[in-house]
């Protein structure tokens, strides 16, 4: 083996390899080619095996040629490799195309019941004014539900609450959350700011605005010097928070045996804005709650001295609030539990 | 109460429009529910005069009339009534007219003659009760004028609150109007012309218990002719919602509406010896009441009787035998006052609540007994031609002193948040008929509270005024009542709106915090919250009650006691308080399935109820039900029905959310409402070993699903007790920095008998895995070759870690060796 022959072999290898690189069909083939030509046991190594037979002074010259050949081939491989990867990537992207207009894989989310949510909304608003949630029994004793709220037996005011009685002596299903007032006063000292949400029951035929089971939210605030004006101001804040800051409100006399003075609280009709429509009985107003200053007898039953302490209570139906807010016209929907209705309350 | 404005105006001048009046009354606490315009529905009905009434040429029973309606040619109108004569003025519905009930009148041919309209009866116009004849109008009624202009009225429907019996009358509401407008109230005329022998010679009354009948006034009206009332009276009563019956009955109803005083009239001939006894019923007594029902009388029933027996149930309903009829000659007028509670109980007992009993049970002003008797007698004389016997029989003619209620003007302002001077307060109170006196010198007792818990406080005379309360205001007894009157008459709209400036109470955590958190977590997991009835049917309870109650989590109330029944249920479907949520949830599944839903995933946080001795108990539980597709059906994944593992997944999510360890499940086969092979008790504990969550879950027994008509797929239900559901706050999780050293995972597969619960083996691994073992997770279950029949391989992945170092291979090998030994000891075969 002489220098000339070896140099020619290297040149041949280069030419042949470059030709093969140029026609390599894909990156896999190119990788194989690289190993075949430049790998440890590749053709270049094979050619250079002859270098041992050369004269010592020729060896560096062959080495230089071999290096050039290697570099040339490597460059060609890189270039060809890049081109191939590019076109392969393009091919893959073309292949991976999907119909992006199809709907996604749906993720399930449940819904919160509007009665409970309305109670939560009410509680959140009053929490800003220091009112904390309390709860009391639904199977209530007759005295707490009526007498202690200044509703003696056989009093005509009992007509306001058609009652479901139970087979436990002296007990009934609470007709309102108001007995909670007594329980809160008995349990804690003023200052009291309590909110009492919960289920109530009445002997009442079911129609679009009545049910025998429904929820109420009662509020109670008692301290020295709490006034009817405070009640009015607070209810205004509530109405604005619940229905919108610009809604007009109306504070007028009402009647409850357990408050004196008693109040009915209206907000301008959310349907007609106050001009009068069938939804508001053409009055322009919708009554959203009843309220009043806690009757002295009730304070006494709560264990408080009515000369020292005074305060107010209010009560509202969360379903009614929810109906007004969401434009629902039938109370029965709340307990029917048709998922098509419930799922609208996310 | 329905208030015709024409009637109201008789007692008070009203310059306001009906709408403005309604608003003022509403703002005074007399809420006007609606404003009805009577006569607005009459279109094209005018006053006409009959020029001639002749027989119809081809029909004996019809008349052919010529009617003038003012201008234009007279009209020919065919009429079937027999009470008409030339010269009368009558309502004429012209062609194109519309009558109540949307009845349209057109020009029609009747037996060969064209009729240009119709003459109207009072009933056709809903103006009087008379349907037999044409309504004959007064002869001075202006011709051609639309009837609505003359006889139309505006009726306010006023919601009079139960404490204001005094306002359940036209006069009472006139007083309220006067309080607003400061006009003067005119009282109805009760001046009488009397004739014949005096009443006391004809009538005697004995009252056995004056506490049940504090006053009885009787009057005798002789020689009445019973017949229809004057048209104007009928119009009024109809407008007020009362059906006219006869002049005698109408007179008593008229006085009840006018004065709020219920009156009863008897046929005097039916009263034995003219002797009336007011007494309680005796055992075995019976009475046939006006509605022709024979009633056995309860001993608490107050009666109007005579020596021969009961005549009427006092204040509630008259007796048929003493009813005024066409044959009645002399009438006895009863105007009495009865004990309100007695009347109320009696009315409820017989299911006979009426306009009269409603007024009695609210209490009656003492002096009204006499005024009502006189007024009725006068109306009988005017309308039925009776002769009123001189004087009245009166058991208690002395009117009581008016009540006096002391009040402190400063206290009025303190409660209302106002700053009204004493003279201003006085002026306001005078508008509702109060007289204000200065307090007598010395200390004054101010009534702060009355009834069962009376409370008076002593105040200095200089700081106190005394209100003399009008006798009709039976609702005013304490200082707070006076305060309300000040606010009411002045107008609540003038109360200044302030925000509370008193101290804020100390912090207290909300009892619904944890409940709300759980609800939010479940909604995030795709479940819809439902609210179902607490009152269920006994059948529900029978079918879907737990054999054993769900164990309560720590601090929660146990489900204990017998079911509580409603003694006066609205229906059998809602007669008993639930003890479990399952049946209600099945109802919801069933309802939605029937309506075409194929996927139901719901929960409810609700109470159960039980009776323990004389006490009651209520407990909070979470109920879950899954049925049908667990994920929203979509084109890009297969539909998968919810199964037991989905319920477990939800429970495990809750356990994680509540900071509890993974729940452990124990199979149960003795719960009849669940599939015996697919039911479990679940328990999750905190790291102190406390029970944070307990409950039962499983596939509904197929028989029960059938009973609820839930078909296709199984229903999975769970009921859980969760610590804190009643009053709890959410736990605050402790956060741990992740170890900086790598975890090491090792798998082990163990072959066991099919019946061997995987939970047992997981527990074995946990206990024997050593301190480095962090987590054990079942990741594969294999059955089939080469395993024997009835065997399965459970593959667990164990995760080891230490906080302070990279684990050495030897440590892990040692731990794994322990685990494998333990599994073999437990009867498993390690699969290589």
């Amino acid at each position: 083996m002489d220098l000339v022959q070896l140099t020619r072999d290297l040149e041949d290898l280069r030419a042949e390899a470059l030709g093969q690189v140029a026609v390599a069909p894909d990156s896999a083939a190119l990788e194989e080619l690289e190993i075949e030509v430049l790998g440890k046991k590749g053709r270049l190594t094979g050619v250079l095996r002859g270098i041992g037979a050369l004269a010592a002074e020729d060896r560096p010259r062959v080495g230089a040629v071999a290096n050039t050949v290697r570099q040339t081939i490597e460059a060609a491989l890189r270039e060809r490799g890049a081109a191939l990867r590019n076109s392969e990537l393009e091919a893959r992207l073309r292949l991976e195309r999907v119909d992006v207009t199809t709907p996604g894989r749906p993720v399930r989310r449940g819904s919160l019941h509007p009665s409970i949510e309305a109670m939560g909304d009410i509680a959140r608003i009053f929490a800003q004014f220091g009112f904390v949630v309390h709860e009391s029994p639904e199977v209530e004793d007759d005295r707490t539900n009526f007498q202690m709220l200044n509703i003696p037996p056989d009093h005509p005011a009992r007509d306001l609450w058609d009652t479901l009685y139970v087979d436990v002596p002296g007990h009934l299903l609470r007709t309102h959350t108001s007995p909670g007032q007594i329980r809160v006063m008995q349990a804690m000292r003023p200052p009291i700011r309590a909110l009492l949400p919960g289920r109530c029951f009445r002997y009442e035929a079911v129609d679009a605005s009545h049910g025998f089971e429904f929820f109420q939210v009662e509020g109670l605030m008692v301290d020295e010097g709490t006034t009817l004006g405070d009640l009015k101001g607070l209810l205004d804040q509530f109405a604005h928070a619940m229905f919108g800051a610009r809604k007009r409100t109306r504070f007028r006399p009402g009647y409850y045996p357990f408050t004196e003075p008693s109040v009915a609280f209206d907000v301008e009709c959310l349907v007609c804005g106050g001009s009068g429509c069938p939804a508001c009985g053409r009055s322009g107003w919708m009554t959203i709650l009843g309220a009043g200053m806690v009757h002295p007898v009730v304070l006494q039953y709560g264990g408080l001295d009515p000369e020292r302490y005074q305060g107010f209570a209010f009560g509202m139906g969360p379903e009614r609030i929810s109906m007004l807010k969401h434009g629902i016209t039938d109370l029965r929907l709340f307990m029917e539990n048709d998922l098509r209705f419930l799922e609208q309350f996310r | 109460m329905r208030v015709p404005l024409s009637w109201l105006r008789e007692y008070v001048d009203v310059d306001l429009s009906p709408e403005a009046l309604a608003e003022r009354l509403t703002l005074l606490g007399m809420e006007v529910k609606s404003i009805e315009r009577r006569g607005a529905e009459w279109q094209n009905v005018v006053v006409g005069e009959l020029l001639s009434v002749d027989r119809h040429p081809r029909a004996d029973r019809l008349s052919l009339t010529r009617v003038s309606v003012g201008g234009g040619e007279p009209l020919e109108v065919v009429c079937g009534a027999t009470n008409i004569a030339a010269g009368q003025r009558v309502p004429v519905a012209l062609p194109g007219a519309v009558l109540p009930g949307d009845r349209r009148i057109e020009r029609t041919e009747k037996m060969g003659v064209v009729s240009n309209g119709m003459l109207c009866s009072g009933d056709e116009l809903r103006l009087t009760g008379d349907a037999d004849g044409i309504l004959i109008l007064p002869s001075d009624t202006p011709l051609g004028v639309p009837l609505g202009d003359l006889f139309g009225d505006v009726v306010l429907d006023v919601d009079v609150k139960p404490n204001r019996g005094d306002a359940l009358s036209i006069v009472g509401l006139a007083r309220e109007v006067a309080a607003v407008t400061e006009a003067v109230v005119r009282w109805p005329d009760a001046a009488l012309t009397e004739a014949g022998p005096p009443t006391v010679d004809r009538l005697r009354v004995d009252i056995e218990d004056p506490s049940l009948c504090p006053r009885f006034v009787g009057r005798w009206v002789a020689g009445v002719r019973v017949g229809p009332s004057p048209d104007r009276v009928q119009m009024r009563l109809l407008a007020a919602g009362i059906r006219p019956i006869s002049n005698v009955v109408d007179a008593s109803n008229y006085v009840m509406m006018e004065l709020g005083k219920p009156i009863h009239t008897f046929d005097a001939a039916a009263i034995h010896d003219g002797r009336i006894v007011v007494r309680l019923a005796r055992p075995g007594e019976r009475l046939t009441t006006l509605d022709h029902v024979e009633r056995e009388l309860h001993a608490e029933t107050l009666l109007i009787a005579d020596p021969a027996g009961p005549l009427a149930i006092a204040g509630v309903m008259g007796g048929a035998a003493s009813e005024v009829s066409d044959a009645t000659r002399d009438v006895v007028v009863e105007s009495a006052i009865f004990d309100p509670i007695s009347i109320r109980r009696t009315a409820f007992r017989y299911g006979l609540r009426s306009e009269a009993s409603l007024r009695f049970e609210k209490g009656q002003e003492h002096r009204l007994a006499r005024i009502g008797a006189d007024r009725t007698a006068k109306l009988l004389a005017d309308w039925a031609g009776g002769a009123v016997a001189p004087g009245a029989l009166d058991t208690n003619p002395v009117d009581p002193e008016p009540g006096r209620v002391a009040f402190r003007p400063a206290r009025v302002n303190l409660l209302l948040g106002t700053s009204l001077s004493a003279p201003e307060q006085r002026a306001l109170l005078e508008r509702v008929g109060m007289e204000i006196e200065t307090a007598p010198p010395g200390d004054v007792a101010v009534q702060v509270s009355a009834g069962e818990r009376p409370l008076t406080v002593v105040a200095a005379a200089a700081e106190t005024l005394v209100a003399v309360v009008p006798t009709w205001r039976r609702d005013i007894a304490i200082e707070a009542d006076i305060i309300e009157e000040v606010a009411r008459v002045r107008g609540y709209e003038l109360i200044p709106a302030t925000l509370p400036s008193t101290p804020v109470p100390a912090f207290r955590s909300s009892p619904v915090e944890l409940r709300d958190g759980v609800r939010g977590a479940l909604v995030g997991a795709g479940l819809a919250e439902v609210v179902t009835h607490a009152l269920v049917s006994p059948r529900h309870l029978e079918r879907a009650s737990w054999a054993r109650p769900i164990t309560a989590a720590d601090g929660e109330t146990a489900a204990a006691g017998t079911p509580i029944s409603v003694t006066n249920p609205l229906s059998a479907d809602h007669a008993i308080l639930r003890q479990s949520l399952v049946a209600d949830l099945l109802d919801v599944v069933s309802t939605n399935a029937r309506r075409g839903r194929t996927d139901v995933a719901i929960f409810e946080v609700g109470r159960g109820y039980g009776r323990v001795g004389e006490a009651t108990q209520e407990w909070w539980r979470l109920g879950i039900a899954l049925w049908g597709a667990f994920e929203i059906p979509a084109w890009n994944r297969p539909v998968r029905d919810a199964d037991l593992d989905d319920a477990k997944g939800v429970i495990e999510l809750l356990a994680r959310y509540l900071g509890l360890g993974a729940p452990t499940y124990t199979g149960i086969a003795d719960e009849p409402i669940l599939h015996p092979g697919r039911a479990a008790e679940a328990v999750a504990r905190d790291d102190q070993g406390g029970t944070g969550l307990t409950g039962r879950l499983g596939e509904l027994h197929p028989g029960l699903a059938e009973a609820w008509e839930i078909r296709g797929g199984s229903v999975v239900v769970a009921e859980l007790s969760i610590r804190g559901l009643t009053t709890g706050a959410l736990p605050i999780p402790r956060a741990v920095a992740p170890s900086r050293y790598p975890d090491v995972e090792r798998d082990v597969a163990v072959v066991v008998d099919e019946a061997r619960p995987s939970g047992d083996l997981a527990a074995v691994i946990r206990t024997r895995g050593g301190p480095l073992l962090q987590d054990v997770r079942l990741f594969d279950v294999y059955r089939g070759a080469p395993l024997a029949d009835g065997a399965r391989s459970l593959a667990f992945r164990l995760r080891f870690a230490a906080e302070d170092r990279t684990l050495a291979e030897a440590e892990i090998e040692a731990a794994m060796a322990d685990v494998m030994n333990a599994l073999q000891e437990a009867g498993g075969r390690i699969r290589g």
Side-chain angles (χ1 to χ4, degrees):
Chain A
M1 184 65 67
D2 62 16
L3 176 64
V4 174
Q5 182 60 41
L6 201 56
T7 307
R8 195 181 305 126
D9 285 354
L10 283 172
E11 292 299 338
D12 289 350
L13 176 60
R14 173 167 70 179
E16 191 189 358
L18 289 180
Q20 283 172 323
V21 167
V23 299
D26 53 36
S27 352
L30 200 65
E31 239 168 76
E32 274 173 32
L33 187 64
E34 183 174 357
I35 293 164
E36 186 204 323
V37 177
L38 302 178
K40 267 185 194 157
K41 297 175 182 170
R43 279 150 59 192
L44 181 61
T45 313
V47 172
L48 290 177
R49 212 168 282 136
I51 206 165
L54 290 185
E57 69 270 21
D58 288 343
R59 286 179 190 171
R61 290 162 64 184
V62 172
V65 173
N67 254 344
T68 316
V69 167
R70 171 180 285 273
Q71 282 163 9
T72 312
I73 293 170
E74 277 173 351
L77 280 168
R78 268 198 306 277
E79 196 182 325
R80 179 66 180 159
L84 279 174
R85 275 194 303 278
N86 233 339
S87 61
E88 277 164 9
L89 185 61
E90 269 166 34
R92 191 181 118 206
L93 292 178
R94 267 196 306 278
L95 207 69
E96 286 176 353
R97 213 179 64 179
V98 297
D99 174 1
V100 296
T101 65
T102 56
R105 193 167 287 113
V107 176
R108 195 167 187 129
R109 178 170 170 80
S111 50
L112 290 164
H113 193 279
S115 296
I116 313 286
E117 267 313 272
M119 289 196 283
D121 290 345
I122 295 163
R124 276 187 283 280
I125 293 171
F126 281 104
Q128 291 197 20
F129 298 96
F131 283 74
V132 180
V133 171
H134 292 247
E135 291 184 307
S136 72
E138 291 169 23
V139 184
E140 188 52 278
D141 64 83
D142 189 292
R143 263 184 79 70
T144 314
N145 193 76
F146 286 127
Q147 272 112 299
M148 291 174 132
L149 292 169
N150 196 34
I151 315 163
D154 298 307
H155 192 276
R158 286 213 175 190
D159 289 355
L160 298 175
W161 303 274
D162 289 322
T163 308
L164 289 163
Y165 294 92
V166 295
D167 58 359
V168 185
H171 285 70
L172 43 75
L173 299 182
R174 68 171 174 195
T175 54
H176 46 186
T177 42
S178 307
Q181 290 183 33
I182 298 287
R183 291 179 177 275
V184 166
M185 284 189 273
Q186 286 174 344
M188 57 195 299
R189 299 287 90 190
I192 294 172
R193 297 189 190 191
L195 209 66
L196 291 141
R199 192 185 289 249
C200 301
F201 304 79
R202 295 220 185 134
Y203 187 92
E204 193 131 32
V206 175
D207 64 24
S209 47
H210 298 88
F212 58 89
E213 281 185 36
F214 55 92
F215 290 88
Q216 262 192 358
V217 180
E218 189 92 1
L220 176 71
M221 171 163 175
V222 180
D223 202 354
E224 296 174 20
T226 301
T227 69
L228 185 67
D230 291 344
L231 172 63
K232 188 176 184 181
L234 185 69
L235 293 183
D236 276 346
Q237 297 287 319
F238 167 70
H240 293 159
M242 186 58 94
F243 299 112
R246 281 207 289 275
K247 291 281 177 284
R248 288 176 304 134
T249 61
R250 190 167 77 165
F251 202 65
R252 61 184 171 88
Y255 170 69
Y256 303 97
F258 37 89
T259 49
E260 189 78 32
S262 297
V263 172
F265 186 67
D266 304 337
V267 64
E268 75 177 41
C269 177
L270 300 172
V271 178
C272 65
S275 57
C277 70
C280 57
R282 314 217 169 274
S283 71
W285 297 99
M286 287 177 151
T287 305
I288 57 166
L289 59 83
M293 300 303 288
V294 181
H295 196 285
V297 166
V298 177
L299 289 169
Q300 281 177 288
Y301 278 119
L304 301 179
D305 175 6
E307 267 297 278
R308 178 169 175 202
Y309 293 112
Q310 59 188 47
F312 56 74
F314 55 85
M316 68 186 101
E319 286 96 348
R320 175 156 174 84
I321 301 282
S322 180
M323 286 168 82
L324 291 176
K325 216 175 151 159
H326 299 294
I328 302 162
T329 53
D330 195 331
L331 179 69
R332 285 168 289 205
L333 289 167
F334 287 81
M335 282 229 183
E336 206 171 76
N337 291 307
D338 189 319
L339 290 172
R340 292 168 299 178
F341 174 68
L342 296 180
E343 283 172 352
Q344 300 172 65
F345 302 93
R346 301 292 176 185
Chain B
M1 174 167 149
R2 289 173 57 88
V3 183
L5 281 190
S6 67
W7 202 348
L8 184 71
R9 287 201 163 97
E10 232 170 72
Y11 315 118
V12 68
D13 293 333
V14 182
D15 295 333
L16 302 164
S17 70
E19 285 72 20
L21 177 65
E23 192 183 4
R24 299 299 291 273
L25 283 173
T26 298
L27 291 177
L28 197 63
M30 296 290 158
E31 190 187 357
V32 176
K33 292 282 196 194
S34 68
I35 303 173
E36 179 191 321
R37 287 189 154 71
R38 283 176 70 78
E41 44 188 3
W42 310 326
Q43 292 168 28
N44 241 354
V45 183
V46 299
V47 178
E49 183 177 307
L50 292 168
L51 301 176
S52 64
V53 178
D54 299 307
R55 181 179 295 174
H56 188 286
R58 287 166 58 185
D60 288 351
R61 311 183 69 139
L62 294 180
S63 304
L64 178 58
T65 68
R66 281 175 57 245
V67 190
S68 161
V69 290
E73 284 291 298
L75 304 170
E76 289 205 322
V77 177
V78 175
C79 180
T82 55
N83 68 327
I84 48 174
Q88 289 171 337
R89 301 219 161 170
V90 293
V92 185
L94 301 173
V98 182
L99 298 184
D102 205 24
R103 189 169 162 200
R104 287 158 194 284
I105 306 300
E106 301 297 345
R107 180 175 286 116
T108 52
E109 194 189 289
K110 286 186 175 156
M111 308 289 285
V113 177
V114 172
S115 182
N116 294 293
M118 188 182 85
L119 310 185
C120 305
S121 73
D123 185 58
E124 280 162 336
L125 296 166
R126 307 268 196 280
L127 198 49
T128 71
D130 186 2
D132 293 338
I134 299 305
L135 179 67
I136 310 300
L137 301 171
S139 56
D140 58 354
T141 312
L143 211 56
V145 175
L147 203 70
D149 293 356
L150 299 170
F151 299 100
D153 206 343
V154 176
V155 181
L156 304 184
D157 190 3
V158 183
D159 179 22
V160 177
K161 301 298 184 191
N163 63 329
R164 291 299 306 274
D166 65 293
L168 269 179
S169 65
I170 310 283
V171 166
L173 286 166
R175 279 193 296 249
E176 292 294 305
V177 173
V180 172
T181 63
E182 302 187 63
V184 176
V185 175
R186 295 180 290 271
W187 270 77
D189 179 14
L192 289 167
T193 309
E194 298 173 332
T199 304
V200 289
D201 290 356
R202 300 176 136 173
L203 200 60
R204 268 183 55 195
V205 177
D206 293 309
I207 294 172
E208 286 192 354
D209 182 353
S211 72
L212 294 178
C213 179
R215 190 175 190 185
F216 187 109
V217 178
R219 291 212 72 132
W220 189 286
V221 183
V224 299
R225 282 180 305 281
V226 178
S229 299
D231 288 334
R232 286 212 78 101
V233 172
Q234 294 196 31
M235 288 178 202
R236 274 215 174 144
L237 288 174
L238 271 173
I242 290 177
R243 197 166 50 90
I245 293 170
S246 71
N247 45 13
V248 177
V249 175
D250 291 356
S252 58
N253 282 333
Y254 196 91
V255 172
M256 178 176 71
M257 291 308 294
E258 186 181 62
L259 298 174
K261 179 78 209 78
I263 303 285
H264 190 64
T265 51
F266 295 91
D267 184 336
I271 301 174
H272 218 74
D273 281 349
R275 280 189 54 197
I276 286 176
V277 187
V278 183
R279 61 166 171 82
L280 290 174
R282 297 188 181 126
E285 275 191 315
R286 304 175 81 82
L287 174 69
T288 302
T289 41
L290 280 178
D291 52 2
H292 301 286
V293 176
E294 188 182 354
R295 297 172 192 275
E296 191 166 331
L297 300 173
H298 185 273
E300 274 183 19
T301 309
L302 187 67
L303 297 178
I304 310 297
D306 67 8
L311 296 170
I313 299 176
V316 175
M317 194 178 254
S322 57
E323 185 181 6
V324 171
S325 70
D326 290 352
T328 301
R329 294 287 302 149
D330 294 0
V331 171
V332 169
V333 176
E334 167 218 303
S335 177
I337 293 173
F338 301 112
D339 173 55
I341 289 177
S342 162
I343 299 296
R344 183 175 162 89
R345 285 193 183 159
T346 300
F348 269 102
R349 174 167 292 127
Y350 298 104
L352 290 174
R353 298 191 80 202
S354 61
E355 290 286 325
S357 73
L358 216 62
R359 284 169 175 79
F360 276 122
E361 69 181 46
K362 292 179 168 62
Q364 294 262 301
E365 189 187 357
H366 190 265
R367 65 181 179 138
L368 275 187
R370 178 61 194 260
I371 299 171
D374 290 357
R375 176 72 175 154
T376 310
K378 178 181 167 53
L379 296 181
L380 287 178
D382 290 354
W383 301 347
V388 181
L393 179 90
D394 191 340
T395 62
N396 186 3
V398 182
D399 286 325
E401 272 290 292
R404 284 179 157 72
V405 178
F407 68 100
R408 294 160 288 177
R411 193 84 195 172
V412 174
N413 287 324
L414 180 62
L415 200 73
L416 298 180
T418 49
S419 46
L420 299 167
S421 68
E424 283 175 288
Q425 295 184 23
R426 170 194 289 255
L428 290 165
L429 292 168
E430 282 169 355
R431 279 164 61 180
V432 284
M434 295 195 195
E435 284 171 38
I436 309 302
E437 298 172 345
T438 49
D443 288 342
V444 182
V446 177
Q447 193 85 32
V448 169
S449 181
E452 252 187 272
R453 303 284 290 264
L455 175 71
T456 53
V457 297
V458 171
E463 295 166 1
T464 313
L465 290 174
V466 177
V468 182
V469 180
T471 48
W472 59 85
R473 290 300 300 274
R474 296 171 45 90
D475 59 313
I476 292 176
I478 60 172
E479 188 181 41
D481 298 328
I482 299 288
I483 298 175
E484 181 174 62
E485 286 303 290
V486 171
R488 189 175 78 90
V489 176
R490 182 164 176 262
Y492 279 22
E493 64 274 22
L494 297 179
I495 300 285
T498 51
L499 276 181
S501 52
T502 50
V504 176
F507 175 79
R508 185 176 183 274
S509 71
S510 166
V512 295
E513 183 185 329
L514 184 131
R515 217 180 294 154
D516 283 348
V518 165
R519 293 168 55 235
L522 291 171
V523 168
L527 278 69
E529 183 178 32
V530 300
V531 170
T532 60
H533 288 294
L535 286 169
V536 298
S537 75
R539 212 178 42 152
H540 251 142
L541 210 69
E542 241 169 67
R543 271 185 182 165
S545 283
W546 296 119
R548 286 166 289 112
I550 305 292
T551 313
D554 286 354
E556 292 296 304
T557 309
T562 51
I564 298 171
S565 296
V566 173
T567 52
N568 60 332
L570 280 143
S571 81
D573 287 342
H574 302 287
I576 197 159
L577 282 169
R578 67 183 173 195
Q579 299 204 300
S580 150
L581 301 169
V582 171
D584 273 332
L585 294 177
L586 293 178
D587 278 350
V588 176
V589 173
S590 171
T591 306
N592 281 284
R594 246 192 340 268
R595 292 178 183 177
R597 279 301 281 235
T598 55
D599 58 326
V600 179
I602 52 171
F603 73 95
E604 178 171 14
V605 181
R607 292 193 202 194
Y609 313 79
R611 171 186 181 170
V612 182
E614 300 290 273
T616 63
Q617 199 144 301
E618 298 174 20
W619 54 84
W620 284 97
R621 294 291 182 267
L622 165 67
I624 294 171
L626 309 173
W627 172 77
F630 188 63
E631 292 161 321
I632 301 172
W635 68 277
N636 43 13
R637 71 172 159 226
V639 174
R640 188 178 66 72
D641 277 355
D643 60 21
L644 193 61
D645 288 345
D646 290 311
K648 286 183 191 167
V650 171
I651 293 169
E652 285 154 20
L653 168 76
L654 285 178
R656 277 200 304 279
Y657 177 69
L658 296 168
L660 304 169
T664 54
Y665 304 104
T666 315
I668 46 168
D670 57 349
E671 181 50 70
I673 73 171
L674 298 179
H675 186 308
R678 298 183 173 185
E681 297 278 0
V683 181
R685 299 182 190 281
D686 61 21
D687 49 16
Q688 315 293 315
T691 308
L693 177 153
T694 63
R696 202 163 299 153
L697 71 154
E699 241 180 68
L700 192 69
H701 196 286
L704 214 56
E706 186 59 33
W708 254 270
E709 294 176 17
I710 304 168
R711 300 199 175 90
S714 53
V715 189
V716 184
V717 294
E719 185 164 329
L720 306 172
S721 172
I722 295 173
R723 180 175 62 198
L725 210 54
T726 305
T727 57
L730 282 168
I732 301 165
R734 282 200 59 81
V736 178
S739 171
R740 289 188 288 116
Y741 304 95
D743 291 353
V744 178
E745 287 187 340
R746 286 287 188 277
D747 295 347
V748 59
V750 55
V751 179
V752 288
D753 191 76
E754 188 70 63
R756 189 74 193 268
S758 72
D760 285 5
L761 299 160
V764 166
I765 299 175
R766 273 193 200 95
T767 31
R768 299 285 293 276
L772 300 175
L773 179 64
Q774 304 297 317
D775 185 36
V776 181
R777 187 161 60 83
L778 179 72
F779 73 93
D780 190 38
V781 178
Y782 177 76
R783 296 179 182 83
L787 303 181
D789 271 359
R792 58 175 180 163
S793 162
L794 304 169
F796 294 95
R797 180 155 296 164
L798 285 62
R799 189 167 58 82
F800 296 93
E803 262 179 65
D804 56 351
R805 64 183 190 279
T806 302
L807 294 178
E809 190 61 30
E811 294 179 283
I812 298 163
E813 289 307 325
M816 283 305 289
D818 287 347
V819 165
M820 286 191 259
N821 280 336
L823 288 172
Q824 278 164 336
E825 284 164 28
R829 179 170 62 79
I830 303 299
R831 217 173 150 211

